[in-house]
Amino acid sequence: MNERVLAGEIREKNIDQKVLLKGWVQKRRDLGGLIFIDLRDRSGVVQVVFNPDYSQDALEIAELVRSEYVIEVKGAVVRRDESTVNHLMETGMIEVFASDLKILNKSKTPPFAIKDKTDVSEDLRLKYRYIDLRRSPMQETFKLRHQTTQSVRNFLNDNGFLEMETPILTKSTPEGARDYLVPSRVHSGEFYALPQSPQLFKQLIMMSGFEKYYQIARCFRDEDLRADRQPEFTQIDIETSFMSSDEIMEMTEQMMKKIMKDIKGIDISLPLMRMPYDEAMQRFGSDKPDTRFDMELIHVSDVLENSAFKVFQGAISSGGKVCLLNVKGQAANYSRKDLDKLTDFVKVYDAKGLAWLKAEGNELKGPIAKFLTEEEIMGLVDRADASDGDLLLFVSDKTSIVYDSLGALRLKLGKELNLIDESKFNFLWITDWPLLEYDEDLGRYFAAHHPFTSPVEEDLDKLTIDPANVRANAYDLVLNGYELGGGSLRIYKKELQDQMFKVLGFSEEEANEQFGFLLEALEYGAPPHGGVALGLDRIIMLLSGRTNLRDTILFPKTASASDLLTDAPNEVSEAQLIELAIQLNEKNN
Amino acid sequence: MNERVLAGEIREKNIDQKVLLKGWVQKRRDLGGLIFIDLRDRSGVVQVVFNPDYSQDALEIAELVRSEYVIEVKGAVVRRDESTVNHLMETGMIEVFASDLKILNKSKTPPFAIKDKTDVSEDLRLKYRYIDLRRSPMQETFKLRHQTTQSVRNFLNDNGFLEMETPILTKSTPEGARDYLVPSRVHSGEFYALPQSPQLFKQLIMMSGFEKYYQIARCFRDEDLRADRQPEFTQIDIETSFMSSDEIMEMTEQMMKKIMKDIKGIDISLPLMRMPYDEAMQRFGSDKPDTRFDMELIHVSDVLENSAFKVFQGAISSGGKVCLLNVKGQAANYSRKDLDKLTDFVKVYDAKGLAWLKAEGNELKGPIAKFLTEEEIMGLVDRADASDGDLLLFVSDKTSIVYDSLGALRLKLGKELNLIDESKFNFLWITDWPLLEYDEDLGRYFAAHHPFTSPVEEDLDKLTIDPANVRANAYDLVLNGYELGGGSLRIYKKELQDQMFKVLGFSEEEANEQFGFLLEALEYGAPPHGGVALGLDRIIMLLSGRTNLRDTILFPKTASASDLLTDAPNEVSEAQLIELAIQLNEKNN
């Protein structure tokens, strides 16, 4: 009886065995001179009974025990009375009659109870993270995270990839998101940066001849946080040499197939659907469409291009468009007040308003109906396939605003109206991305992915004369409306990388200062290469059916990048700053 | 022929097959109108032959090709002529007759050749790391690193451990080594710290009820670098609940046994040898003894305590001691000049000098012989088991200096005299460590391991009255004279942790400010727990038979913590500093 037994694994086959248990007091009940303790460990819960006939000593110690005390119990496994069998517990057929009880550690009353559902504030859960993590759904999430990580590794190991570690203390290259900086003590006045991704290092690994690399890599972005962003996050980072984009996508699909099988027991069929970026925007108003439900954007600019309704006509004539969503059968369920709320919703996406019409018989009714001709009404009914009781919601604006606002409205309505089959896992590749995005405020092009993404070969001659229409050799993987990540073929010729930096507005000097090591490496036999990076935290979120990314990270930070448990970041001593040869700006002192 | 074949895997069974190869030009030779190219990829090298009879086009392109060009070859596998078979190459029975050749990328002449042995400076190798890494020994090292990591994971996964990720942006707790700091932009004036190890987080994971945790964890120490230190390094980090120190050591041994079997094909026998700290110091003058050879320290204070030789007698009477090494049979090989050099060597370890005697028959000869009595000589000969031709080397000083200097001298002589069997892997646990070390300059105790290490139960009452003699529940694992790492049981009771901080000179306020979250967590049902952490980089160094830690890290930093490849750290823009609300001290501007 020296070997500890796991509480949640005891079954009827163990009846009459003596067991040694160690764990936490989940619950204590006193009943008719007996004490019942639910003992919890990482495997689950078992009921322990303290009976004066069995051990008076153990019973007396059991009287001292409270929730979350850590205890050690010796006892015998017995079959429960028929009347006390608990079919909801995996160990509910048996209980343990205690002969010995030892209190290993006490506990104050926890700030909240260890139960599956909790309604305490997230801040309190984060401050007492070690208590929150004892709850079964949290335990399960991190077991799933462990299993997913191993599934990924097994797949990549079996396919000849080498797991390799790239540095965390790297060079600051301020293109893209904001770097976290680390002052150097030895080289005072200089800084390391934490990597936003291992992008350049994984390309250097290809130039080092390793051909197949992966890493479950920690990445850092000092961005203003949103609900689904963390200052540090983890990505499945992969790079290969000599593979085409099709081959990289196929490999990634095989990996996702294995994860889905290993973790969810689901067979997904390959190849995954592919959709060009333009099509995704036109049909779903999103570059990461949730394809678990329809309600696609309906384009009606041609129907309305001569409309007397100024709002429509104005948008079209100034180069924008009019699209609508047909919310099938919901006309009666949306009051003016509800529609005003939807209008407020699209305004967040810079839409000036949301026009609406309700289908009654063959007619469309609503405040804007009077501006529309018979022919336009017929055209809309026909295009939207509108039937009695349908609600049509219109946005007319610049194309990007029409897509953003209706894309977001589509998702909102899909959720509100329960149009989404939550059991589905809809994977989708978005391909044919634009290589560059023009920033009107700054008057220059930016890399849509990053400056190392390769243009597609047939668009190469447009790079200097028509950069906006150059497509990238890039692909993003979408699952249920979330971007899991993406990848691309990389530029591997020095001349093309030079040209790319030029298009991005870098002087030769700036390019060399920031990326000279890469440009030089491209001159020494860089192989064709490409890869992919997938967000592990988000994959775990979707696999575990959660909606909060913080529930998938063991010790996450808040939206203001604080760790409420350890109280990081914090002030440091003057001596530490002096060693680093930095000082705080006045306002901080 | 669309599937690429790996060059190093082609064998006689592939003769007559058509193959598609992609890789680097290792070597080009022109001979009698033919061109021979050694094509290298991650798998190895194969010889490709360009012959005008086979393809004039391919031959003409081959003429343009230089070392490290990246090429694509189509061809047929043929058996080599008897006379040209190369038994030193794994593919030496065959060659590939090329029908097509495509240059995928060019290369300038590399700064050094891609060959197994290189004598270029390490700085040049680090600057062109992507070229250095193409060399076969480097490729092999990182394959071995990959395999070792997977071996560790397989063992831990099979034993129920969960791989979990702890934060990199954490709280600065300036006990121990120097932290790398990261200024916070959102909370200006505050800093994150990069973790020196996941110590507190892994303890919190135990308090979260996970019971078995591991991580291949990146750690950071801003220390003055030595040859075997890097600012960022990787450790195999393990923590468990409810296990005794014996159980943790046994688990660690099983893991090392599996690594040795998987990677080196060597069966090591368990249990590994264990040695108390005091014994290691007394016998080997080291807390990480290399037990692959003898030449242990011989203690002769009792023999010499009344010696007329002032140096010996003074050391002993002031509480120090005299020890010697018997360098068997080497008396004739060490001249005065050699012995002077050994004296200089021990002086680095603060020894005042190195006395010596040479055994001739039953006598001991040397400059200090005249100060010794017949009885003392006989005592020394007897104790040292000295026979004709032996060289005895003495240090007399404070105990710590005697151990440090003779321990180092023993290692030096072991290497010089080839006493070490390099094929051996001698593992050893050092146990019974002191819990505390007294710093005479600062007049306070420091934690010998870290402040969370548990004292052994039977020494608990000494903690306040005799702290110097409290032993820790700690264990270090040593391999061939290198510390692989170590671990301990941790303090899991609040009162004991409070007491420990007190002994270390923390006020209650200081303890709460730095470690309040831990102290609070200890009050909510913290289980007994402990763990171990092993340095992965050093394990790889020893398994791959290397002596330079930098050869085991993909992109290492120099002794001054610089990355010569990317030129990190570097200066950052004023705008970045303004966002972080910090400025550089005057001298840097």
Side-chain angles (χ1 to χ4, degrees):
Chain A
M1 211 176 61
N2 293 318
E3 276 285 296
R4 174 184 171 220
V5 170
L6 287 175
E9 295 178 357
I10 306 178
R11 293 288 182 281
E12 286 175 278
K13 66 173 163 40
N14 303 107
I15 284 170
D16 292 339
Q17 289 176 8
K18 302 221 162 191
V19 291
L20 170 65
L21 297 167
K22 298 184 187 191
W24 287 261
V25 175
Q26 173 74 22
K27 205 159 65 180
R28 186 193 109 181
R29 277 159 300 144
D30 297 21
L31 199 72
L34 308 183
I35 293 179
F36 297 84
I37 286 177
D38 282 355
L39 185 150
R40 186 192 72 237
D41 63 23
R42 77 193 296 236
S43 66
V45 173
V46 74
Q47 176 165 285
V48 182
V49 186
F50 296 85
N51 185 325
D53 297 341
Y54 209 73
S55 167
Q56 179 65 29
D57 285 355
L59 180 73
E60 279 170 23
I61 298 170
E63 278 166 13
L64 306 173
V65 154
R66 302 285 177 276
S67 282
E68 298 310 307
Y69 273 39
V70 187
I71 57 173
E72 179 181 315
V73 171
K74 290 181 187 169
V77 180
V78 299
R79 183 183 301 279
R80 291 202 199 189
D81 282 348
E82 201 66 47
S83 62
T84 62
V85 162
N86 183 343
H87 292 289
L88 298 176
M89 283 174 84
E90 294 201 77
T91 59
M93 299 299 291
I94 55 90
E95 56 197 358
V96 174
F97 274 23
S99 56
D100 294 276
L101 172 61
K102 206 157 116 187
I103 295 174
L104 299 177
N105 212 353
K106 298 182 182 183
S107 175
K108 297 206 293 191
T109 305
F112 49 89
I114 319 293
K115 53 186 188 186
D116 288 6
K117 296 221 169 179
T118 185
D119 53 5
V120 297
S121 77
E122 193 185 6
D123 279 5
L124 195 69
R125 288 174 53 207
L126 290 173
K127 179 171 165 55
Y128 294 97
R129 187 68 167 173
Y130 46 90
I131 290 174
D132 192 40
L133 288 168
R134 292 180 200 170
R135 297 189 305 113
S136 170
M138 298 299 271
Q139 292 269 320
E140 291 310 315
T141 299
F142 291 97
K143 283 176 197 166
L144 182 144
R145 186 172 175 122
H146 165 81
Q147 286 155 354
T148 305
T149 311
Q150 307 316 322
S151 175
V152 167
R153 284 213 181 81
N154 289 339
F155 175 83
L156 292 167
N157 293 346
D158 289 347
N159 282 275
F161 285 82
L162 296 180
E163 185 174 16
M164 307 185 106
E165 296 178 73
T166 54
I168 297 290
L169 293 169
T170 66
K171 180 188 171 85
S172 178
T173 54
E175 177 77 8
R178 215 182 270 110
D179 285 331
Y180 277 105
L181 297 181
V182 182
S184 162
R185 180 178 55 85
V186 182
H187 305 273
S188 55
E190 300 189 339
F191 293 78
Y192 304 96
L194 306 185
Q196 295 181 28
S197 90
Q199 183 60 37
L200 292 174
F201 286 104
K202 69 178 177 172
Q203 293 191 234
L204 289 164
I205 290 171
M206 294 305 103
M207 297 166 203
S208 305
F210 286 104
E211 298 189 30
K212 288 182 163 194
Y213 143 93
Y214 81 94
Q215 183 177 202
I216 311 288
R218 200 73 61 85
C219 306
F220 305 86
R221 288 187 197 166
D222 186 10
E223 288 180 297
D224 298 312
L225 302 174
R226 302 193 311 245
D228 61 346
R229 285 276 173 85
Q230 282 280 312
E232 48 182 312
F233 58 97
T234 303
Q235 70 188 28
I236 304 167
D237 198 52
I238 296 172
E239 195 79 3
T240 72
S241 294
F242 305 120
M243 276 170 79
S244 66
S245 51
D246 276 343
E247 286 168 334
I248 295 171
M249 281 189 270
E250 282 160 23
M251 182 273 298
T252 309
E253 293 181 354
Q254 295 286 355
M255 182 175 77
M256 291 312 304
K257 185 180 174 73
K258 178 170 162 60
I259 293 175
M260 292 305 293
K261 183 70 182 169
D262 287 354
I263 306 303
K264 305 296 291 183
I266 293 175
D267 277 305
I268 59 172
S269 57
L270 301 185
L272 299 178
M273 193 165 118
R274 293 188 190 183
M275 192 183 288
Y277 169 84
D278 284 345
E279 184 185 335
M281 294 305 292
Q282 284 161 23
R283 289 177 55 192
F284 300 95
S286 170
D287 58 10
K288 42 178 191 282
D290 189 337
T291 54
R292 290 175 299 174
F293 69 108
D294 299 327
M295 204 200 287
E296 297 185 11
L297 273 61
I298 297 164
H299 292 248
V300 293
S301 298
D302 56 334
V303 176
L304 298 169
E305 67 189 334
N306 300 314
S307 175
F309 186 44
K310 289 251 167 61
V311 178
F312 287 166
Q313 203 275 325
I316 297 164
S317 64
S318 57
K321 58 177 59 179
V322 187
C323 291
L324 64 86
L325 298 177
N326 181 353
V327 193
K328 297 296 287 180
Q330 292 293 329
N333 296 331
Y334 280 80
S335 66
R336 289 244 170 187
K337 207 168 146 192
D338 295 331
L339 292 164
D340 285 348
K341 278 190 193 153
L342 296 186
T343 305
D344 290 342
F345 177 82
V346 295
K347 281 183 176 167
V348 173
Y349 298 89
D350 291 334
K352 284 183 284 291
L354 183 74
W356 56 269
L357 288 168
K358 293 179 172 184
E360 291 182 13
N362 274 337
E363 290 183 76
L364 294 177
K365 300 260 167 97
I368 66 161
K370 59 177 176 278
F371 300 110
L372 302 177
T373 64
E374 188 80 5
E375 195 188 0
E376 286 167 340
I377 297 271
M378 279 175 59
L380 289 175
V381 167
D382 185 51
R383 181 71 55 82
D385 194 20
S387 49
D388 192 46
D390 286 359
L391 170 65
L392 308 186
L393 300 173
F394 296 77
V395 172
S396 57
D397 220 309
K398 284 201 321 190
T399 302
S400 62
I401 292 176
V402 172
Y403 288 169
D404 283 356
S405 56
L406 283 182
L409 184 60
R410 173 181 175 270
L411 278 186
K412 177 185 167 65
L413 292 170
K415 280 173 201 150
E416 272 182 15
L417 301 171
N418 281 319
L419 304 178
I420 302 174
D421 179 350
E422 296 285 351
S423 72
K424 272 193 187 168
F425 286 89
N426 275 26
F427 289 90
L428 171 71
W429 285 108
I430 303 296
T431 60
D432 296 283
W433 288 81
L435 182 71
L436 298 157
E437 276 168 12
Y438 192 72
D439 184 311
E440 287 180 15
D441 296 337
L442 294 172
R444 78 164 179 98
Y445 283 98
F446 281 83
H449 278 71
H450 54 61
F452 318 107
T453 308
S454 171
V456 304
E457 189 128 354
E458 60 208 270
D459 291 353
L460 270 182
D461 50 357
K462 292 190 209 153
L463 195 53
T464 41
I465 53 171
D466 183 16
N469 285 311
V470 177
R471 285 164 303 160
N473 246 322
Y475 32 84
D476 270 17
L477 185 59
V478 173
L479 170 57
N480 293 352
Y482 287 91
E483 180 205 327
L484 292 188
S488 63
L489 297 188
R490 325 301 184 184
I491 295 170
Y492 64 97
K493 298 223 174 185
K494 165 89 162 50
E495 305 70 41
L496 184 54
Q497 189 66 67
D498 281 339
Q499 206 185 341
M500 183 71 179
F501 281 132
K502 215 170 184 176
V503 172
L504 295 173
F506 283 67
S507 71
E508 204 180 312
E509 198 191 338
E510 286 166 341
N512 275 321
E513 197 183 300
Q514 284 187 41
F515 302 107
F517 62 99
L518 177 76
L519 291 168
E520 191 169 18
L522 291 172
E523 295 194 285
Y524 288 102
H529 62 287
V532 68
L534 303 175
L536 180 64
D537 309 312
R538 197 165 288 165
I539 291 175
I540 303 303
M541 186 179 89
L542 293 169
L543 292 183
S544 61
R546 293 183 167 273
T547 53
N548 182 343
L549 208 65
R550 286 185 290 278
D551 286 339
T552 71
I553 294 174
L554 202 54
F555 297 104
K557 293 187 179 63
T558 63
S560 66
S562 297
D563 178 349
L564 297 183
L565 168 59
T566 64
D567 197 27
N570 59 342
E571 289 180 11
V572 299
S573 71
E574 194 60 28
Q576 284 173 288
L577 298 183
I578 289 169
E579 277 203 312
L580 297 174
I582 62 173
Q583 48 189 291
L584 306 180
N585 284 351
E586 274 306 315
K587 57 171 180 173
N588 303 308
N589 291 331
Chain B
M1 209 175 64
N2 294 317
E3 277 285 296
R4 173 182 171 223
V5 169
L6 287 175
E9 294 177 358
I10 306 177
R11 293 288 182 280
E12 287 175 277
K13 66 173 163 38
N14 304 107
I15 284 169
D16 292 338
Q17 289 174 8
K18 301 220 162 192
V19 291
L20 170 65
L21 298 167
K22 298 184 187 191
W24 286 261
V25 175
Q26 172 75 23
K27 205 160 62 179
R28 187 192 108 182
R29 279 158 299 144
D30 297 20
L31 199 71
L34 308 182
I35 293 180
F36 297 85
I37 286 178
D38 281 354
L39 184 149
R40 184 192 73 236
D41 62 23
R42 75 192 298 234
S43 67
V45 173
V46 75
Q47 176 165 285
V48 182
V49 186
F50 296 85
N51 185 325
D53 297 340
Y54 208 73
S55 166
Q56 179 66 29
D57 285 355
L59 180 71
E60 280 171 22
I61 299 171
E63 278 168 12
L64 306 173
V65 154
R66 300 286 177 277
S67 282
E68 297 311 306
Y69 272 40
V70 188
I71 58 172
E72 178 181 314
V73 171
K74 290 180 186 169
V77 180
V78 299
R79 183 182 302 279
R80 291 201 197 190
D81 283 346
E82 202 67 46
S83 63
T84 62
V85 163
N86 183 342
H87 292 288
L88 297 177
M89 283 175 84
E90 293 200 77
T91 60
M93 298 300 290
I94 55 90
E95 57 197 358
V96 174
F97 274 23
S99 55
D100 293 276
L101 172 61
K102 205 157 115 187
I103 295 174
L104 299 177
N105 212 352
K106 297 182 181 183
S107 174
K108 297 206 291 191
T109 305
F112 50 89
I114 319 293
K115 53 186 188 185
D116 289 5
K117 296 222 170 178
T118 184
D119 54 4
V120 297
S121 77
E122 194 184 7
D123 279 5
L124 195 69
R125 289 174 54 206
L126 290 173
K127 178 170 166 55
Y128 294 96
R129 187 67 167 173
Y130 47 89
I131 290 175
D132 192 39
L133 288 169
R134 291 179 199 172
R135 297 189 307 112
S136 170
M138 297 300 270
Q139 293 269 321
E140 291 310 316
T141 298
F142 291 97
K143 285 176 194 165
L144 182 145
R145 187 173 175 121
H146 165 80
Q147 287 155 353
T148 306
T149 312
Q150 308 314 323
S151 174
V152 167
R153 284 214 180 80
N154 289 339
F155 175 83
L156 293 167
N157 293 346
D158 289 347
N159 282 275
F161 285 82
L162 296 180
E163 185 174 16
M164 308 184 106
E165 296 178 72
T166 54
I168 297 290
L169 293 169
T170 66
K171 180 189 171 86
S172 178
T173 53
E175 176 78 8
R178 216 182 269 111
D179 286 330
Y180 277 105
L181 297 181
V182 182
S184 162
R185 180 178 55 84
V186 181
H187 305 273
S188 56
E190 299 188 341
F191 292 78
Y192 303 96
L194 305 185
Q196 295 181 27
S197 91
Q199 183 61 36
L200 292 175
F201 286 105
K202 69 177 175 172
Q203 293 191 232
L204 289 164
I205 290 172
M206 294 304 104
M207 296 168 203
S208 305
F210 287 104
E211 298 188 30
K212 288 182 163 194
Y213 142 93
Y214 81 94
Q215 184 177 202
I216 310 289
R218 200 73 61 85
C219 306
F220 305 85
R221 289 188 196 165
D222 185 10
E223 288 181 298
D224 298 312
L225 303 175
R226 303 193 311 244
D228 62 346
R229 284 276 172 86
Q230 282 279 311
E232 48 182 313
F233 58 97
T234 302
Q235 70 188 27
I236 304 168
D237 198 52
I238 296 172
E239 195 79 3
T240 72
S241 294
F242 305 119
M243 276 170 79
S244 67
S245 51
D246 275 344
E247 286 168 334
I248 295 171
M249 281 190 269
E250 281 160 24
M251 183 272 299
T252 308
E253 293 181 354
Q254 295 288 353
M255 182 174 78
M256 292 312 305
K257 184 180 175 74
K258 178 171 161 61
I259 294 175
M260 292 305 294
K261 184 69 182 170
D262 287 355
I263 306 302
K264 305 297 291 184
I266 292 175
D267 278 304
I268 59 172
S269 56
L270 302 186
L272 299 178
M273 192 165 119
R274 294 187 189 182
M275 193 183 287
Y277 169 85
D278 283 345
E279 184 185 335
M281 295 305 293
Q282 284 161 23
R283 290 176 54 192
F284 300 96
S286 170
D287 58 11
K288 42 178 193 284
D290 190 336
T291 54
R292 290 175 298 174
F293 69 107
D294 299 326
M295 205 200 286
E296 298 185 11
L297 273 61
I298 296 164
H299 291 248
V300 292
S301 297
D302 56 332
V303 177
L304 298 170
E305 65 189 337
N306 301 313
S307 175
F309 187 43
K310 288 253 168 59
V311 177
F312 287 166
Q313 203 273 325
I316 297 164
S317 64
S318 57
K321 60 177 57 180
V322 187
C323 291
L324 65 85
L325 298 177
N326 181 352
V327 193
K328 297 296 289 179
Q330 293 293 329
N333 297 331
Y334 280 80
S335 66
R336 289 242 170 189
K337 206 169 148 194
D338 296 330
L339 291 164
D340 285 347
K341 278 190 193 152
L342 296 185
T343 305
D344 290 342
F345 177 83
V346 295
K347 281 183 176 166
V348 173
Y349 299 87
D350 292 334
K352 285 183 284 291
L354 183 74
W356 56 269
L357 288 168
K358 294 180 172 183
E360 290 182 13
N362 273 337
E363 291 184 77
L364 294 178
K365 299 262 168 93
I368 65 162
K370 59 177 176 280
F371 300 109
L372 302 177
T373 65
E374 188 80 5
E375 195 189 1
E376 285 167 340
I377 297 270
M378 278 175 60
L380 289 174
V381 167
D382 186 51
R383 181 70 56 82
D385 194 20
S387 49
D388 192 46
D390 288 357
L391 169 65
L392 308 185
L393 300 173
F394 296 76
V395 172
S396 57
D397 219 308
K398 284 202 320 192
T399 301
S400 61
I401 292 176
V402 171
Y403 289 168
D404 283 357
S405 57
L406 283 183
L409 184 60
R410 171 181 176 272
L411 277 186
K412 177 184 167 67
L413 292 170
K415 280 172 200 151
E416 273 184 14
L417 300 171
N418 281 319
L419 303 179
I420 301 174
D421 179 350
E422 296 285 350
S423 73
K424 271 193 187 169
F425 287 89
N426 274 25
F427 289 91
L428 171 70
W429 286 108
I430 303 297
T431 60
D432 297 283
W433 289 81
L435 182 71
L436 298 156
E437 276 170 9
Y438 191 73
D439 184 311
E440 285 179 18
D441 295 338
L442 294 172
R444 77 165 179 99
Y445 282 98
F446 281 83
H449 279 71
H450 54 60
F452 319 107
T453 307
S454 171
V456 304
E457 188 128 353
E458 61 209 89
D459 291 354
L460 269 183
D461 51 357
K462 290 190 209 154
L463 195 52
T464 42
I465 53 170
D466 184 15
N469 284 311
V470 177
R471 284 165 303 160
N473 246 322
Y475 32 85
D476 270 17
L477 184 59
V478 172
L479 171 58
N480 293 352
Y482 287 92
E483 181 205 325
L484 292 188
S488 63
L489 297 188
R490 326 300 184 185
I491 295 170
Y492 64 97
K493 299 224 173 186
K494 165 91 161 52
E495 304 70 42
L496 184 54
Q497 190 66 68
D498 281 338
Q499 205 185 344
M500 183 71 180
F501 281 133
K502 214 170 184 176
V503 172
L504 295 173
F506 283 67
S507 70
E508 204 180 310
E509 198 190 337
E510 286 166 342
N512 275 321
E513 197 182 301
Q514 285 188 41
F515 301 108
F517 62 98
L518 177 76
L519 291 168
E520 192 171 16
L522 290 172
E523 295 194 284
Y524 288 102
H529 62 286
V532 68
L534 303 176
L536 180 64
D537 309 312
R538 196 164 288 165
I539 290 175
I540 302 304
M541 186 179 88
L542 294 169
L543 292 183
S544 61
R546 293 182 168 274
T547 52
N548 182 344
L549 208 66
R550 286 185 290 276
D551 285 339
T552 71
I553 294 174
L554 202 55
F555 298 104
K557 294 187 177 63
T558 63
S560 66
S562 297
D563 177 350
L564 297 183
L565 168 58
T566 65
D567 196 27
N570 58 340
E571 288 181 12
V572 299
S573 71
E574 193 60 27
Q576 285 173 289
L577 297 183
I578 288 169
E579 277 203 312
L580 296 174
I582 61 172
Q583 48 188 293
L584 306 180
N585 283 351
E586 276 304 316
K587 58 173 179 172
N588 303 308
N589 291 331

